[in-house]
């Protein structure tokens, strides 16, 4: 099936080279990512015991339509939803359904909006009611690992510096890093070069240049790093059924570091956890 997103991006292709974006593109990414972040802000009040992930998905669709954007995941490679909703041992690509969330669950909501040729991709973890201390610790470590990956972004460093920063910190905190999914170039395309691995060494991967735009989206497990994809072809779970968490930001490389396009204007980057000063 050809979707509106496919039609709009048909002249573009992922030919293996890494796109460099100008200031106008950075402005467009600021705009689309602000809507994605505002949606994730709005979800904080909705995610409670008894609410289903289908209701979350409806909110994501309606919030998008109200703001003149469409969910890029709708009909993306056969995916049928406006969001991914990944609960407890689901690593990513969980499909919304009618089952109510339960007190103590942790759920990742991953939203990518599309408008006028631009994609804004971000995800956050939402505690459902009161969660256990080990779950809260996993959320804190996972968000901190994302911040450490972001801190490694600057022209001249390699993509491997991001992965190394995430892996070193995560493993020191006795969490494991999922290898099977990675961050990605984003902007005109939903998933573009380069791949951003969340593990590895500073000398790995291509050199970062001003104007690159990509996501960083580490998935950390309390148990082993191994995952499997269920028979539905999408839902990825930890093989040992251990608890897993993920946060995702879109960043653009600047002259001396990077700009985070998907920061919450409301300071809600880690919903349900104390705000970072
Ligand atoms: N938003 C996800 C990412 O971070 C991709 C979801 S693709 C879908 O890259 F088809 F599963 F929705
Ligand atoms: Co992504
Ligand atoms: Co995403």
């Amino acid at each position: 099936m050809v979707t509106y997103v496919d039609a709009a991006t048909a002249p573009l292709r992922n030919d293996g080279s890494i796109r460099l974006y100008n200031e106008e593109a950075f402005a467009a990414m600021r705009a689309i990512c602000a809507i994605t972040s505002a949606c994730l802000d709005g979800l904080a009040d909705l995610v409670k015991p008894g609410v289903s992930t289908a209701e979350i998905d409806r909110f994501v669709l309606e919030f998008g339509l109200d703001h003149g954007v469409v969910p890029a995941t709708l009909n993306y490679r056969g995916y049928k939803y406006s969001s991914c909703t990944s609960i407890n041992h689901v690593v990513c690509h969980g499909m919304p359904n009618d089952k109510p969330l339960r007190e103590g669950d942790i759920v990742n909501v991953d939203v990518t909006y599309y408008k006028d040729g631009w994609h804004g991709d971000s995800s956050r973890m939402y505690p459902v009611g009161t969660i256990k201390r080990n779950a809260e610790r996993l959320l804190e470590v996972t968000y901190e690992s994302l911040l450490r990956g972001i801190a490694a972004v600057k022209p001249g460093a390699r993509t491997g510096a991001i992965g190394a920063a995430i892996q070193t910190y995560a493993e020191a905190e006795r969490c494991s890093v999922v290898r099977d999914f990675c961050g990605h170039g984003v902007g005109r395309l939903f998933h573009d070069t380069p791949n951003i691995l969340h593990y590895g060494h500073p000398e790995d991967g291509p050199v970062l240049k001003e104007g690159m735009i990509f996501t960083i989206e580490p998935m950390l497990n309390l148990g082993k790093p191994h995952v499997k994809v269920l028979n539905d072809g999408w839902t990825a779970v930890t093989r040992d059924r251990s608890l897993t968490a993920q946060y995702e930001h879109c960043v653009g490389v600047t002259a001396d570091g990077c700009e985070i396009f998907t920061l919450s204007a409301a300071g809600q980057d880690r919903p349900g956890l104390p705000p970072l000063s």
Side-chain angles (χ1 to χ4, degrees), residues 132-194:
K132 292 210 172 105
R133 181 60 204 149
N134 67 335
E136 190 173 281
R137 193 182 79 87
L138 176 63
L139 301 196
E140 287 166 351
V141 171
T142 305
Y143 192 76
E144 175 65 20
S145 80
L146 170 56
L147 289 185
R148 292 194 180 210
I150 290 170
V153 177
K154 57 165 191 275
R158 292 179 180 272
T159 58
I162 302 167
I166 292 168
Q167 181 181 17
T168 303
Y169 172 72
E171 292 178 354
E173 295 293 331
R174 301 180 315 284
C175 294
S176 68
V177 178
V178 169
R179 309 292 203 268
D180 301 67
F181 301 95
C182 57
H184 49 90
V186 68
R188 303 305 298 267
L189 296 180
F190 188 175
H191 292 113
D192 205 349
T193 48

Short mmCIF file of all heavy atoms in Angstrom, two decimals, residues 132-194:
data_model
loop_
_atom_site.label_atom_id
_atom_site.label_comp_id
_atom_site.label_asym_id
_atom_site.label_seq_id
_atom_site.Cartn_x
_atom_site.Cartn_y
_atom_site.Cartn_z
N LYS A 132 7.00 -0.13 41.60
CA LYS A 132 8.01 -0.66 42.52
C LYS A 132 9.31 0.10 42.37
O LYS A 132 9.61 0.67 41.33
CB LYS A 132 8.27 -2.14 42.19
CG LYS A 132 7.08 -3.04 42.50
CD LYS A 132 7.57 -4.44 42.88
CE LYS A 132 6.44 -5.30 43.38
NZ LYS A 132 6.05 -6.29 42.35
N ARG A 133 10.11 0.06 43.42
CA ARG A 133 11.39 0.78 43.45
C ARG A 133 12.32 0.33 42.30
O ARG A 133 12.99 1.15 41.69
CB ARG A 133 12.05 0.57 44.82
CG ARG A 133 13.37 1.28 45.00
CD ARG A 133 13.27 2.81 44.85
NE ARG A 133 14.59 3.35 44.47
CZ ARG A 133 14.80 4.43 43.72
NH1 ARG A 133 13.78 5.13 43.26
NH2 ARG A 133 16.01 4.83 43.44
N ASN A 134 12.34 -0.99 42.00
CA ASN A 134 13.26 -1.45 40.93
C ASN A 134 12.83 -0.91 39.58
O ASN A 134 13.65 -0.60 38.71
CB ASN A 134 13.39 -2.98 40.91
CG ASN A 134 12.11 -3.67 40.50
OD1 ASN A 134 11.01 -3.14 40.65
ND2 ASN A 134 12.23 -4.88 39.97
N ALA A 135 11.50 -0.75 39.39
CA ALA A 135 10.99 -0.19 38.14
C ALA A 135 11.37 1.29 38.05
O ALA A 135 11.82 1.77 37.00
CB ALA A 135 9.48 -0.36 38.06
N GLU A 136 11.20 2.00 39.16
CA GLU A 136 11.54 3.43 39.17
C GLU A 136 13.03 3.64 38.89
O GLU A 136 13.42 4.52 38.12
CB GLU A 136 11.16 4.04 40.53
CG GLU A 136 11.26 5.55 40.53
CD GLU A 136 10.72 6.15 41.82
OE1 GLU A 136 9.49 6.26 41.94
OE2 GLU A 136 11.54 6.47 42.70
N ARG A 137 13.84 2.76 39.48
CA ARG A 137 15.29 2.85 39.24
C ARG A 137 15.60 2.62 37.75
O ARG A 137 16.41 3.31 37.14
CB ARG A 137 16.05 1.83 40.10
CG ARG A 137 17.55 2.09 40.13
CD ARG A 137 18.31 1.05 40.95
NE ARG A 137 18.49 -0.18 40.21
CZ ARG A 137 19.53 -0.41 39.39
NH1 ARG A 137 20.45 0.51 39.19
NH2 ARG A 137 19.63 -1.55 38.75
N LEU A 138 14.93 1.64 37.14
CA LEU A 138 15.15 1.38 35.72
C LEU A 138 14.81 2.61 34.88
O LEU A 138 15.54 2.96 33.95
CB LEU A 138 14.32 0.16 35.26
CG LEU A 138 14.39 -0.15 33.76
CD1 LEU A 138 15.82 -0.53 33.34
CD2 LEU A 138 13.40 -1.26 33.40
N LEU A 139 13.70 3.28 35.21
CA LEU A 139 13.33 4.48 34.45
C LEU A 139 14.39 5.57 34.62
O LEU A 139 14.80 6.20 33.64
CB LEU A 139 11.97 5.01 34.90
CG LEU A 139 10.76 4.07 34.78
CD1 LEU A 139 9.45 4.87 34.88
CD2 LEU A 139 10.77 3.28 33.49
N GLU A 140 14.85 5.77 35.85
CA GLU A 140 15.87 6.80 36.10
C GLU A 140 17.15 6.50 35.33
O GLU A 140 17.73 7.38 34.69
CB GLU A 140 16.17 6.90 37.60
CG GLU A 140 15.06 7.55 38.40
CD GLU A 140 15.20 7.36 39.91
OE1 GLU A 140 16.08 6.58 40.36
OE2 GLU A 140 14.42 7.98 40.65
N VAL A 141 17.59 5.24 35.40
CA VAL A 141 18.85 4.87 34.73
C VAL A 141 18.69 5.01 33.21
O VAL A 141 19.60 5.48 32.52
CB VAL A 141 19.28 3.44 35.13
CG1 VAL A 141 20.46 2.96 34.26
CG2 VAL A 141 19.64 3.38 36.61
N THR A 142 17.53 4.63 32.68
CA THR A 142 17.34 4.68 31.24
C THR A 142 17.33 6.12 30.73
O THR A 142 17.97 6.44 29.72
CB THR A 142 16.05 3.95 30.83
OG1 THR A 142 16.08 2.62 31.35
CG2 THR A 142 15.91 3.89 29.31
N TYR A 143 16.63 7.01 31.45
CA TYR A 143 16.64 8.41 30.99
C TYR A 143 18.04 9.02 31.12
O TYR A 143 18.51 9.71 30.23
CB TYR A 143 15.59 9.28 31.72
CG TYR A 143 15.45 10.61 31.00
CD1 TYR A 143 14.74 10.69 29.81
CD2 TYR A 143 16.08 11.75 31.47
CE1 TYR A 143 14.66 11.89 29.10
CE2 TYR A 143 16.00 12.95 30.77
CZ TYR A 143 15.28 13.01 29.59
OH TYR A 143 15.21 14.19 28.89
N GLU A 144 18.71 8.71 32.22
CA GLU A 144 20.08 9.23 32.40
C GLU A 144 21.01 8.71 31.30
O GLU A 144 21.87 9.44 30.80
CB GLU A 144 20.60 8.86 33.80
CG GLU A 144 22.06 9.24 34.06
CD GLU A 144 22.34 10.75 34.06
OE1 GLU A 144 21.41 11.55 34.22
OE2 GLU A 144 23.54 11.11 33.89
N SER A 145 20.82 7.45 30.88
CA SER A 145 21.67 6.90 29.81
C SER A 145 21.43 7.66 28.51
O SER A 145 22.37 7.91 27.75
CB SER A 145 21.44 5.39 29.62
OG SER A 145 20.26 5.12 28.86
N LEU A 146 20.17 8.04 28.26
CA LEU A 146 19.86 8.85 27.07
C LEU A 146 20.59 10.19 27.15
O LEU A 146 21.22 10.63 26.19
CB LEU A 146 18.34 9.03 26.95
CG LEU A 146 17.85 10.03 25.90
CD1 LEU A 146 18.37 9.69 24.50
CD2 LEU A 146 16.32 10.08 25.90
N LEU A 147 20.53 10.84 28.34
CA LEU A 147 21.22 12.13 28.49
C LEU A 147 22.73 11.99 28.28
O LEU A 147 23.37 12.86 27.68
CB LEU A 147 20.94 12.73 29.87
CG LEU A 147 19.52 13.24 30.12
CD1 LEU A 147 19.45 13.90 31.49
CD2 LEU A 147 19.08 14.23 29.04
N ARG A 148 23.29 10.88 28.76
CA ARG A 148 24.75 10.68 28.58
C ARG A 148 25.09 10.44 27.11
O ARG A 148 26.12 10.89 26.62
CB ARG A 148 25.23 9.54 29.46
CG ARG A 148 25.12 9.96 30.91
CD ARG A 148 25.87 9.03 31.82
NE ARG A 148 25.69 9.52 33.19
CZ ARG A 148 26.58 9.37 34.15
NH1 ARG A 148 27.73 8.76 33.89
NH2 ARG A 148 26.34 9.82 35.36
N GLY A 149 24.21 9.74 26.39
CA GLY A 149 24.40 9.57 24.94
C GLY A 149 24.34 10.92 24.24
O GLY A 149 25.20 11.24 23.40
N ILE A 150 23.37 11.74 24.61
CA ILE A 150 23.22 13.06 24.00
C ILE A 150 24.45 13.93 24.28
O ILE A 150 24.92 14.66 23.41
CB ILE A 150 21.92 13.73 24.52
CG1 ILE A 150 20.69 13.00 23.96
CG2 ILE A 150 21.89 15.21 24.15
CD1 ILE A 150 19.36 13.42 24.58
N ALA A 151 24.99 13.80 25.50
CA ALA A 151 26.16 14.62 25.87
C ALA A 151 27.39 14.27 25.04
O ALA A 151 28.33 15.07 24.94
CB ALA A 151 26.46 14.45 27.36
N ALA A 152 27.38 13.09 24.41
CA ALA A 152 28.53 12.67 23.59
C ALA A 152 28.44 13.19 22.16
O ALA A 152 29.36 12.99 21.36
CB ALA A 152 28.62 11.14 23.58
N VAL A 153 27.32 13.84 21.82
CA VAL A 153 27.11 14.30 20.44
C VAL A 153 27.81 15.64 20.20
O VAL A 153 27.49 16.64 20.84
CB VAL A 153 25.60 14.45 20.13
CG1 VAL A 153 25.40 15.01 18.72
CG2 VAL A 153 24.87 13.12 20.29
N LYS A 154 28.79 15.64 19.31
CA LYS A 154 29.41 16.89 18.85
C LYS A 154 30.18 16.60 17.56
O LYS A 154 30.60 15.46 17.33
CB LYS A 154 30.32 17.48 19.92
CG LYS A 154 31.43 16.58 20.41
CD LYS A 154 32.45 17.41 21.18
CE LYS A 154 33.71 16.63 21.49
NZ LYS A 154 33.64 15.82 22.70
N PRO A 155 30.36 17.61 16.71
CA PRO A 155 31.08 17.38 15.45
C PRO A 155 32.48 16.83 15.75
O PRO A 155 33.14 17.26 16.69
CB PRO A 155 31.18 18.79 14.84
CG PRO A 155 30.07 19.56 15.45
CD PRO A 155 29.91 19.02 16.84
N GLY A 156 32.88 15.85 14.96
CA GLY A 156 34.21 15.25 15.12
C GLY A 156 34.19 13.94 15.89
O GLY A 156 35.04 13.08 15.68
N ALA A 157 33.23 13.79 16.83
CA ALA A 157 33.07 12.51 17.51
C ALA A 157 32.42 11.53 16.54
O ALA A 157 31.86 11.94 15.52
CB ALA A 157 32.21 12.68 18.76
N ARG A 158 32.48 10.25 16.83
CA ARG A 158 31.79 9.24 16.01
C ARG A 158 30.50 8.81 16.68
O ARG A 158 30.33 8.99 17.90
CB ARG A 158 32.71 8.04 15.76
CG ARG A 158 33.90 8.38 14.89
CD ARG A 158 34.83 7.20 14.65
NE ARG A 158 35.94 7.61 13.80
CZ ARG A 158 35.92 7.58 12.46
NH1 ARG A 158 34.85 7.11 11.83
NH2 ARG A 158 36.95 8.00 11.77
N THR A 159 29.61 8.21 15.89
CA THR A 159 28.34 7.73 16.46
C THR A 159 28.61 6.75 17.60
O THR A 159 27.83 6.67 18.55
CB THR A 159 27.46 7.04 15.41
OG1 THR A 159 28.18 5.94 14.83
CG2 THR A 159 27.02 8.01 14.31
N GLY A 160 29.73 6.02 17.52
CA GLY A 160 30.08 5.06 18.57
C GLY A 160 30.26 5.69 19.93
O GLY A 160 30.11 5.02 20.96
N ALA A 161 30.60 6.99 19.96
CA ALA A 161 30.77 7.67 21.25
C ALA A 161 29.44 7.72 22.01
O ALA A 161 29.41 7.68 23.25
CB ALA A 161 31.30 9.08 21.04
N ILE A 162 28.35 7.79 21.25
CA ILE A 162 27.01 7.81 21.85
C ILE A 162 26.73 6.46 22.51
O ILE A 162 26.36 6.37 23.68
CB ILE A 162 25.94 8.13 20.78
CG1 ILE A 162 26.24 9.47 20.10
CG2 ILE A 162 24.54 8.08 21.39
CD1 ILE A 162 25.41 9.70 18.82
N GLY A 163 26.94 5.41 21.72
CA GLY A 163 26.70 4.05 22.23
C GLY A 163 27.58 3.72 23.41
O GLY A 163 27.13 3.10 24.39
N ALA A 164 28.85 4.12 23.32
CA ALA A 164 29.78 3.83 24.40
C ALA A 164 29.34 4.51 25.70
O ALA A 164 29.38 3.91 26.78
CB ALA A 164 31.19 4.27 24.02
N ALA A 165 28.91 5.76 25.59
CA ALA A 165 28.48 6.50 26.79
C ALA A 165 27.27 5.82 27.43
O ALA A 165 27.17 5.69 28.66
CB ALA A 165 28.15 7.95 26.42
N ILE A 166 26.33 5.38 26.58
CA ILE A 166 25.11 4.73 27.09
C ILE A 166 25.45 3.39 27.74
O ILE A 166 25.05 3.10 28.87
CB ILE A 166 24.09 4.54 25.95
CG1 ILE A 166 23.58 5.91 25.49
CG2 ILE A 166 22.95 3.62 26.37
CD1 ILE A 166 22.79 5.89 24.19
N GLN A 167 26.23 2.58 27.03
CA GLN A 167 26.53 1.23 27.52
C GLN A 167 27.34 1.26 28.82
O GLN A 167 27.06 0.52 29.76
CB GLN A 167 27.29 0.45 26.45
CG GLN A 167 27.60 -0.98 26.89
CD GLN A 167 28.38 -1.76 25.84
OE1 GLN A 167 28.96 -1.18 24.91
NE2 GLN A 167 28.39 -3.07 25.99
N THR A 168 28.36 2.14 28.85
CA THR A 168 29.22 2.21 30.03
C THR A 168 28.40 2.54 31.27
O THR A 168 28.53 1.89 32.32
CB THR A 168 30.32 3.27 29.82
OG1 THR A 168 31.05 2.92 28.65
CG2 THR A 168 31.25 3.36 31.01
N TYR A 169 27.54 3.55 31.13
CA TYR A 169 26.73 3.96 32.28
C TYR A 169 25.70 2.88 32.64
O TYR A 169 25.57 2.50 33.81
CB TYR A 169 26.02 5.28 31.97
CG TYR A 169 25.02 5.66 33.03
CD1 TYR A 169 25.46 6.09 34.29
CD2 TYR A 169 23.65 5.54 32.81
CE1 TYR A 169 24.55 6.40 35.29
CE2 TYR A 169 22.74 5.85 33.80
CZ TYR A 169 23.19 6.27 35.04
OH TYR A 169 22.29 6.58 36.03
N ALA A 170 24.99 2.35 31.64
CA ALA A 170 23.93 1.37 31.91
C ALA A 170 24.48 0.14 32.61
O ALA A 170 23.90 -0.35 33.60
CB ALA A 170 23.25 0.97 30.60
N GLU A 171 25.60 -0.36 32.13
CA GLU A 171 26.15 -1.59 32.71
C GLU A 171 26.72 -1.34 34.10
O GLU A 171 26.64 -2.22 34.97
CB GLU A 171 27.16 -2.23 31.74
CG GLU A 171 26.43 -2.76 30.50
CD GLU A 171 27.33 -3.38 29.43
OE1 GLU A 171 28.57 -3.32 29.58
OE2 GLU A 171 26.77 -3.91 28.45
N ALA A 172 27.27 -0.14 34.33
CA ALA A 172 27.73 0.20 35.68
C ALA A 172 26.56 0.22 36.65
O ALA A 172 26.72 -0.03 37.85
CB ALA A 172 28.45 1.55 35.67
N GLU A 173 25.37 0.51 36.13
CA GLU A 173 24.15 0.52 36.96
C GLU A 173 23.45 -0.84 36.93
O GLU A 173 22.27 -0.95 37.29
CB GLU A 173 23.20 1.62 36.48
CG GLU A 173 23.75 3.03 36.67
CD GLU A 173 23.90 3.42 38.14
OE1 GLU A 173 23.13 2.90 38.98
OE2 GLU A 173 24.79 4.23 38.45
N ARG A 174 24.12 -1.88 36.44
CA ARG A 174 23.62 -3.26 36.41
C ARG A 174 22.37 -3.42 35.55
O ARG A 174 21.50 -4.24 35.81
CB ARG A 174 23.38 -3.80 37.84
CG ARG A 174 24.64 -3.78 38.70
CD ARG A 174 24.44 -4.31 40.11
NE ARG A 174 23.23 -3.81 40.77
CZ ARG A 174 23.12 -2.59 41.29
NH1 ARG A 174 24.12 -1.72 41.22
NH2 ARG A 174 21.99 -2.23 41.89
N CYS A 175 22.31 -2.62 34.49
CA CYS A 175 21.26 -2.81 33.49
C CYS A 175 21.92 -3.27 32.19
O CYS A 175 23.11 -3.03 31.97
CB CYS A 175 20.51 -1.49 33.23
SG CYS A 175 19.59 -0.92 34.67
N SER A 176 21.17 -3.96 31.33
CA SER A 176 21.73 -4.39 30.04
C SER A 176 21.12 -3.57 28.92
O SER A 176 20.01 -3.05 29.03
CB SER A 176 21.49 -5.88 29.82
OG SER A 176 20.12 -6.14 29.64
N VAL A 177 21.88 -3.46 27.82
CA VAL A 177 21.48 -2.64 26.67
C VAL A 177 20.99 -3.57 25.56
O VAL A 177 21.71 -4.47 25.13
CB VAL A 177 22.67 -1.81 26.15
CG1 VAL A 177 22.25 -1.00 24.92
CG2 VAL A 177 23.21 -0.89 27.24
N VAL A 178 19.78 -3.33 25.07
CA VAL A 178 19.23 -4.10 23.95
C VAL A 178 20.03 -3.77 22.69
O VAL A 178 20.31 -2.62 22.39
CB VAL A 178 17.73 -3.74 23.76
CG1 VAL A 178 17.18 -4.30 22.45
CG2 VAL A 178 16.92 -4.24 24.96
N ARG A 179 20.41 -4.83 21.95
CA ARG A 179 21.23 -4.67 20.74
C ARG A 179 20.39 -4.66 19.46
O ARG A 179 20.86 -4.23 18.41
CB ARG A 179 22.22 -5.83 20.61
CG ARG A 179 23.06 -6.12 21.84
CD ARG A 179 24.04 -5.00 22.11
NE ARG A 179 25.17 -5.45 22.92
CZ ARG A 179 25.25 -5.39 24.24
NH1 ARG A 179 24.25 -4.89 24.95
NH2 ARG A 179 26.32 -5.82 24.87
N ASP A 180 19.18 -5.22 19.53
CA ASP A 180 18.43 -5.53 18.30
C ASP A 180 17.74 -4.33 17.66
O ASP A 180 17.24 -4.44 16.54
CB ASP A 180 17.37 -6.61 18.59
CG ASP A 180 18.01 -7.87 19.11
OD1 ASP A 180 18.56 -7.82 20.24
OD2 ASP A 180 17.97 -8.89 18.42
N PHE A 181 17.64 -3.22 18.39
CA PHE A 181 17.01 -2.01 17.85
C PHE A 181 17.93 -0.84 18.12
O PHE A 181 18.68 -0.85 19.10
CB PHE A 181 15.64 -1.78 18.50
CG PHE A 181 14.69 -2.92 18.30
CD1 PHE A 181 14.55 -3.91 19.27
CD2 PHE A 181 13.95 -3.03 17.13
CE1 PHE A 181 13.69 -4.98 19.08
CE2 PHE A 181 13.08 -4.09 16.93
CZ PHE A 181 12.96 -5.07 17.90
N CYS A 182 17.88 0.15 17.24
CA CYS A 182 18.82 1.27 17.38
C CYS A 182 18.13 2.59 17.04
O CYS A 182 17.01 2.61 16.51
CB CYS A 182 20.03 1.04 16.49
SG CYS A 182 19.63 0.81 14.76
N GLY A 183 18.81 3.70 17.36
CA GLY A 183 18.37 5.00 16.88
C GLY A 183 18.67 5.11 15.40
O GLY A 183 19.31 4.23 14.81
N HIS A 184 18.24 6.22 14.80
CA HIS A 184 18.26 6.32 13.33
C HIS A 184 18.24 7.77 12.89
O HIS A 184 17.68 8.63 13.58
CB HIS A 184 17.03 5.59 12.76
CG HIS A 184 15.74 5.99 13.44
ND1 HIS A 184 14.96 7.03 13.00
CD2 HIS A 184 15.12 5.52 14.56
CE1 HIS A 184 13.91 7.17 13.80
NE2 HIS A 184 13.98 6.27 14.77
N GLY A 185 18.82 8.00 11.70
CA GLY A 185 18.62 9.28 11.07
C GLY A 185 17.13 9.53 10.92
O GLY A 185 16.34 8.61 10.74
N VAL A 186 16.75 10.83 11.05
CA VAL A 186 15.33 11.19 10.96
C VAL A 186 15.27 12.60 10.39
O VAL A 186 16.25 13.33 10.42
CB VAL A 186 14.67 11.09 12.36
CG1 VAL A 186 15.20 12.16 13.31
CG2 VAL A 186 13.14 11.15 12.28
N GLY A 187 14.12 12.98 9.87
CA GLY A 187 13.97 14.30 9.26
C GLY A 187 13.00 14.16 8.11
O GLY A 187 11.81 14.00 8.31
N ARG A 188 13.52 14.20 6.87
CA ARG A 188 12.66 13.98 5.71
C ARG A 188 12.16 12.54 5.66
O ARG A 188 11.07 12.27 5.19
CB ARG A 188 13.41 14.31 4.41
CG ARG A 188 13.95 15.73 4.35
CD ARG A 188 12.91 16.79 4.59
NE ARG A 188 11.85 16.79 3.60
CZ ARG A 188 11.82 17.52 2.50
NH1 ARG A 188 12.80 18.34 2.24
NH2 ARG A 188 10.80 17.47 1.67
N LEU A 189 13.00 11.61 6.12
CA LEU A 189 12.59 10.21 6.22
C LEU A 189 12.38 9.84 7.68
O LEU A 189 13.02 10.40 8.57
CB LEU A 189 13.66 9.28 5.62
CG LEU A 189 13.94 9.41 4.12
CD1 LEU A 189 15.03 8.43 3.70
CD2 LEU A 189 12.67 9.16 3.30
N PHE A 190 11.48 8.86 7.91
CA PHE A 190 11.22 8.36 9.27
C PHE A 190 12.46 7.61 9.77
O PHE A 190 12.94 7.85 10.89
CB PHE A 190 9.98 7.45 9.19
CG PHE A 190 9.41 6.97 10.51
CD1 PHE A 190 8.23 6.23 10.49
CD2 PHE A 190 10.00 7.25 11.73
CE1 PHE A 190 7.66 5.76 11.67
CE2 PHE A 190 9.44 6.78 12.92
CZ PHE A 190 8.27 6.04 12.88
N HIS A 191 12.97 6.70 8.95
CA HIS A 191 14.14 5.91 9.35
C HIS A 191 15.22 6.04 8.27
O HIS A 191 15.08 5.51 7.18
CB HIS A 191 13.76 4.44 9.57
CG HIS A 191 12.88 4.25 10.76
ND1 HIS A 191 11.57 3.85 10.68
CD2 HIS A 191 13.12 4.43 12.09
CE1 HIS A 191 11.05 3.79 11.90
NE2 HIS A 191 11.97 4.13 12.77
N ASP A 192 16.26 6.77 8.57
CA ASP A 192 17.30 7.10 7.60
C ASP A 192 18.66 6.67 8.17
O ASP A 192 18.76 6.29 9.35
CB ASP A 192 17.26 8.63 7.36
CG ASP A 192 17.82 9.04 6.00
OD1 ASP A 192 18.43 8.21 5.32
OD2 ASP A 192 17.63 10.23 5.64
N THR A 193 19.70 6.75 7.35
CA THR A 193 21.06 6.59 7.87
C THR A 193 21.41 7.84 8.69
O THR A 193 20.88 8.92 8.39
CB THR A 193 22.09 6.44 6.74
OG1 THR A 193 21.84 7.47 5.79
CG2 THR A 193 21.98 5.08 6.08
N PRO A 194 22.28 7.73 9.69
CA PRO A 194 22.98 6.53 10.14
C PRO A 194 22.18 5.77 11.19
O PRO A 194 21.25 6.32 11.78
CB PRO A 194 24.24 7.11 10.78
CG PRO A 194 23.76 8.40 11.40
CD PRO A 194 22.70 8.92 10.47
#
